[in-house]
């Protein structure tokens, strides 16, 4: 079954508070660049060092979240609670 990404709203989540923060942000920016080149509606969410990520995620209105953060940043439980599908391993 084929689908058109242009029919979806996608959040690209990067940053974090680990030593991989800069690499995560660069990866997220590259994903954003390619999505925008293909006219996909997307928004970038930069996870900062405060570790209080709920305010940055609780009002997401997207169909899919593409994460470029490491597992040390516990985003999966929040996305699960919000009913947002994402890439990578699940909360458990």
């Amino acid at each position: 079954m084929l689908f058109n990404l242009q029919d979806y709203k996608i959040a690209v989540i990067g940053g974090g508070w680990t030593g991989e923060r800069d690499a995560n942000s660069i990866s997220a920016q590259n994903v954003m660049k390619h999505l925008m080149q293909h006219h996909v509606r997307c928004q970038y969410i930069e996870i900062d060092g405060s570790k209080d990520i709920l305010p940055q995620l609780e009002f997401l209105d997207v169909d899919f979240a593409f994460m470029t953060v490491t597992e040390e940043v516990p985003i999966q439980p929040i996305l699960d609670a919000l009913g947002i599908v994402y890439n990578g391993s699940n909360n458990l």
Side-chain angles (χ1 to χ4, degrees):
M1 176 179 183
L2 294 176
F3 61 94
N4 186 350
L5 278 179
Q6 294 173 344
D7 295 336
Y8 297 90
K9 294 180 284 182
I10 298 175
V12 178
I13 303 172
W17 52 78
T18 70
E20 298 174 2
R21 176 183 168 73
D22 291 341
N24 295 342
S25 295
I26 291 168
S27 295
Q29 293 299 328
N30 285 329
V31 170
M32 286 290 297
K33 175 181 142 185
H34 290 286
L35 289 172
M36 289 188 301
Q37 285 176 345
H38 294 283
H39 310 288
V40 176
R41 292 177 294 167
C42 55
Q43 65 184 55
Y44 179 57
I45 308 293
E46 177 80 20
I47 302 300
D48 60 25
S50 73
K51 297 185 181 180
D52 185 12
I53 60 177
L54 184 57
Q56 298 175 66
L57 301 175
E58 66 182 331
F59 297 109
L60 279 181
D61 179 25
V62 296
D63 301 302
F64 183 82
F66 189 93
M67 299 186 299
T68 65
V69 296
T70 57
E71 291 81 16
E72 291 84 12
V73 182
I75 293 175
Q76 293 95 327
I78 296 170
L79 296 176
D80 287 340
L82 296 172
I84 298 173
V85 180
Y86 52 89
N87 68 303
S89 59
N90 65 19
N91 182 33
L92 300 175

